[in-house]
Amino acid sequence: MLTAILNNKAGRIEQGGESLPWRDVFKTYEDLLTATVFERFNYLSQNTQNQFISFLLEGTLDKSTLDLGRLINIEYWPRFSIENNSQSSVEPDLILCFENANVLIEVKPPSGGGQYYAQWEREVSALKNNSRYTNKKLYFVALGGVNEAIHNDELTKLKGKFSDFITHANILNWQQVASFLLNDCEGCDERDTRIINDIIAAIGLYGVNTLNLNWQQLQSHSFKVLSLQHNNFQHAVKNTLKDWQPLTTFTSSLNKNTLNNLRTWKNSYEQ
């Protein structure tokens, strides 16, 4: 389905009385992004999964200390009952269930709704009050919709409140994920590479920059030398010289009294 959407072959769908391309519909639903990315994460090798999760938790986290074990299951949009004045349940986007830890991920699209503390608190509290999740470490990731100036303080607050339950937590945006997958994921075999390319393509549908370009690559690229004698420049000069001639003639005669003559030059140029 992703390939059909990427190539505008998925057809159209009726929504609100309007016929829309599947590509446009896909980009409006964060749940489709969640499913597309992490369905494919499920098929990555354990080494690449560990690299991915290590990056999500914090790019500098030592992978050797991240003893997740084997991925057992991915729970999409599990619903938990909670005691809250405003709502009776909470639904995290997904929980990656590993042998030795659970990773709770709250996903927001690259553009649109932002992350907020109250939702994080409800989700972590729901897991803490459920015996299925209390026998393992918990890692928390807020992915997408992040404003570091605001959310770093809120993340510190969350870790402080659940210091006896959360092992590590992090916030990051989708552009950081794309850059990691493009440049920093190491030791991937051909299968992992094909899966990662799918993930990158899906992220790109949401307007994230997925061009694999950086300054070092530009510096090392053997671009042809370009000078002012290049044919394209010469062509541009020939075509624009006539238009610039009134201005160059005028500026060559400028003196301290010329400001009074600007209107005269303007009129002569427009004739």
Side-chain angles (χ1 to χ4, degrees):
M1 184 64 176
L2 176 62
T3 301
I5 291 172
L6 289 169
N7 291 279
N8 293 312
K9 295 295 184 181
R12 305 177 75 85
I13 186 173
E14 291 292 327
Q15 189 176 67
E18 186 179 0
S19 177
L20 298 173
W22 250 111
R23 186 185 183 101
D24 292 348
V25 174
F26 185 92
K27 291 187 288 186
T28 61
Y29 286 95
E30 67 185 62
D31 290 343
L32 293 178
L33 176 62
T34 300
T36 301
V37 170
F38 287 96
E39 280 176 353
R40 285 157 178 76
F41 173 87
N42 192 33
Y43 300 114
L44 293 170
S45 66
Q46 185 172 339
N47 173 63
T48 303
Q49 285 181 350
N50 282 345
Q51 286 190 70
F52 198 165
I53 295 301
S54 175
F55 173 77
L56 291 182
L57 288 170
E58 196 163 348
T60 58
L61 190 64
D62 185 354
K63 291 187 285 291
S64 65
T65 66
L66 190 64
D67 184 22
L68 297 174
R70 182 176 56 88
L71 178 65
I72 299 172
N73 184 36
I74 299 179
E75 298 180 9
Y76 294 94
W77 310 290
R79 185 177 292 271
F80 300 97
S81 297
I82 59 172
E83 295 180 5
N84 187 287
N85 293 331
S86 59
Q87 61 187 94
S88 59
S89 64
V90 66
E91 189 179 273
D93 286 304
L94 73 155
I95 303 172
L96 305 179
C97 303
F98 291 89
E99 285 179 304
N100 304 324
N102 295 310
V103 182
L104 170 62
I105 303 180
E106 178 56 35
V107 177
K108 299 297 180 188
S111 59
Q115 301 277 353
Y116 58 99
Y117 175 81
Q119 185 178 27
W120 302 349
E121 183 183 30
R122 288 194 298 267
E123 291 174 357
V124 175
S125 181
L127 266 66
K128 186 177 180 180
N129 292 325
N130 190 309
S131 59
R132 289 176 54 204
Y133 303 97
T134 54
N135 61 338
K136 296 180 184 178
K137 299 175 182 178
L138 178 70
Y139 295 96
F140 175 81
V141 177
L143 174 57
V146 166
N147 180 335
E148 291 189 1
I150 298 172
H151 293 118
N152 273 327
D153 290 341
E154 295 187 343
L155 190 69
T156 300
K157 181 180 176 182
L158 184 78
K159 291 188 288 188
K161 179 167 184 176
F162 297 98
S163 60
D164 59 338
F165 186 47
I166 294 179
T167 300
H168 192 79
N170 193 32
I171 56 173
L172 72 168
N173 280 311
W174 283 103
Q175 187 61 64
Q176 295 167 270
V177 174
S179 297
F180 164 73
L181 293 175
L182 285 164
N183 301 303
D184 300 319
C185 196
E186 301 174 347
C188 299
D189 59 23
E190 290 185 9
R191 184 192 66 173
D192 279 356
T193 299
R194 287 193 291 268
I195 295 170
I196 286 173
N197 287 340
D198 264 8
I199 294 174
I200 292 170
I203 296 172
L205 277 173
Y206 286 78
V208 174
N209 179 19
T210 57
L211 293 176
N212 190 13
L213 293 175
N214 56 47
W215 182 243
Q216 288 74 23
Q217 290 170 316
L218 288 173
Q219 285 182 312
S220 64
H221 196 285
S222 55
F223 291 110
K224 292 182 179 180
V225 176
L226 188 63
S227 74
L228 292 177
Q229 301 304 313
H230 192 278
N231 289 338
N232 287 342
F233 283 124
Q234 293 299 308
H235 178 72
V237 169
K238 288 177 183 178
N239 287 334
T240 59
L241 185 59
K242 184 173 68 173
D243 293 335
W244 282 95
Q245 193 61 52
L247 180 59
T248 56
T249 301
F250 170 72
T251 55
S252 65
S253 62
L254 281 176
N255 57 53
K256 64 181 180 180
N257 297 317
T258 3
L259 288 177
N260 295 325
N261 299 323
L262 284 175
R263 183 172 297 171
T264 303
W265 169 79
K266 178 177 180 292
N267 292 335
S268 67
Y269 178 71
E270 290 177 346
Q271 289 176 355

